[in-house]
C-alpha cells in the first residue's frame, strides 16, 4: 500500500493572506509558498506525521467556524514554546506524557487551531 510521507500542502482561507503567511514564516519558520518555477517552498524532513479525525465536540476543534487543526513537527518543543511566547503567542503545553511525544497547542492570529509536536520513538530527533 502506498502511503503519503507528510504534509505536502495545506491551503485554507484567510482574511489577510499576506499577513498570515508572514506570521507563519516569522513565528514558525514555515517558508512561504513558492511563487516562481524552480523555487521550493517549505521542505520538511521525512518524518512521521500524525493524522486522525477528532470526535465532534473535541476541545481541540470545537468551533463551528474552524473545522481543522494543523500539527507541526518540531525538534525541540520547549524551545519553540519559548520562541512563540516571546512573540506574544499564548501557548498551552499539554501536561500529558503521550507515548508518541509532547504536544503544545495555540492559535494563529485568525483563531485557527494549531499544535506543535516533539516526537518520541522511531523518528525522534536525529
Amino acid at each position: 500500500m502506498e502511503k503519503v510521507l507528510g504534509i505536502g500542502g495545506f491551503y485554507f482561507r484567510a482574511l489577510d493572506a499576506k499577513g498570515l503567511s508572514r506570521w507563519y514564516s516569522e513565528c514558525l519558520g514555515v517558508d512561504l509558498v513558492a511563487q516562481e518555477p524552480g523555487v521550493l517552498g517549505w521542505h520538511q524532513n521525512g518524518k512521521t506525521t500524525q493524522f486522525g479525525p477528532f470526535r465532534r465536540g473535541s476541545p481541540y476543534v470545537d468551533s463551528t467556524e474552524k473545522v481543522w487543526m494543523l500539527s507541526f513537527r518540531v525538534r525541540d518543543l520547549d524551545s519553540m514554546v519559548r520562541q512563540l511566547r516571546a512573540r506574544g503567542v499564548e501557548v498551552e503545553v499539554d501536561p500529558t506524557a503521550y507515548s508518541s511525544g509532547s504536544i503544545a497547542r495555540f492559535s494563529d492570529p485568525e483563531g485557527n487551531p494549531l499544535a506543535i509536536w516533539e516526537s518520541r520513538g522511531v523518528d525522534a530527533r536525529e
Side-chain angles (χ1 to χ4, degrees):
M1 178 176 143
E2 292 294 318
K3 297 180 181 180
V4 297
L5 302 176
I7 299 171
F10 190 78
Y11 303 91
F12 53 96
R13 286 185 223 160
L15 297 174
D16 176 8
K18 288 183 181 180
L20 197 55
S21 292
R22 190 171 39 258
W23 183 89
Y24 275 88
S25 179
E26 292 171 358
C27 289
L28 298 176
V30 175
D31 295 330
L32 303 179
V33 173
Q35 300 295 319
E36 304 170 22
V39 177
L40 296 176
W42 178 41
H43 179 76
Q44 306 178 62
N45 294 335
K47 302 285 185 166
T48 301
T49 298
Q50 300 293 328
F51 180 83
F54 285 110
R55 64 175 165 61
R56 184 171 289 200
S58 164
Y60 308 124
V61 186
D62 195 28
S63 168
T64 57
E65 296 177 13
K66 310 295 180 184
V67 295
W68 57 265
M69 180 180 76
L70 181 59
S71 178
F72 293 99
R73 182 185 308 105
V74 297
R75 185 186 60 76
D76 184 327
L77 186 90
D78 294 333
S79 292
M80 181 62 84
V81 167
R82 283 192 299 275
Q83 175 181 306
L84 289 166
R85 287 179 174 163
R87 296 190 62 86
V89 178
E90 292 183 30
V91 182
E92 179 185 334
V93 177
D94 190 323
T96 306
Y98 296 100
S99 61
S100 64
S102 302
I103 300 170
R105 293 180 183 84
F106 57 102
S107 296
D108 71 16
E110 293 191 7
N112 296 305
L114 300 171
I116 50 177
W117 165 59
E118 180 182 334
S119 175
R120 284 196 190 97
V122 175
D123 69 348
R125 295 182 192 171
E126 297 177 352

